[in-house]
Amino acid sequence: MVAFFLLMQLAALSISMSGYEQISVFCTGPASSMLSWLFGGLHLLFVALLVVGPLSLVFWKLRAPYVGILIAALVILPVQANLVHRGVLSCDGP
């Protein structure tokens, strides 16, 4: 299960960097909004989870927190895409 979610995380990273830019870290502006800090923090969380994921394959106590936090983070990504679509957040990168 952990390996599956690690693959899901890598797929979300790939999608955000290539095809579906609205969930990219570059689409968290403007900096004056608290929402931008929230979604910027979400993407920093994804970086941390990218380290914790492989570690949780070895250390079983990390598995449940990794899966739970990753599921919550993945559920929030469509919210970011919706906010970008509505113009609440903007993209300032590729």
Side-chain angles (χ1 to χ4, degrees):
M1 183 198 250
V2 170
F4 170 76
F5 280 107
L6 189 56
L7 289 174
M8 290 280 295
Q9 183 179 2
L10 291 172
L13 175 64
S14 175
I15 290 168
S16 74
M17 291 299 157
S18 60
Y20 193 66
E21 292 88 12
Q22 291 181 333
I23 62 170
S24 170
V25 67
F26 299 111
C27 292
T28 58
S32 61
S33 169
M34 283 304 292
L35 288 175
S36 65
W37 289 104
L38 173 72
F39 287 102
L42 172 68
H43 290 282
L44 288 175
L45 178 64
F46 276 121
V47 172
L49 287 173
L50 202 53
V51 173
V52 173
L55 288 175
S56 69
L57 292 171
V58 177
F59 303 106
W60 65 270
K61 288 186 178 187
L62 292 175
R63 290 178 186 166
Y66 168 73
V67 170
I69 294 169
L70 182 61
I71 288 172
L74 289 173
V75 166
I76 295 173
L77 279 180
V79 174
Q80 177 181 333
N82 185 25
L83 291 173
V84 170
H85 180 73
R86 291 186 4 219
V88 176
L89 295 175
S90 61
C91 298
D92 58 354

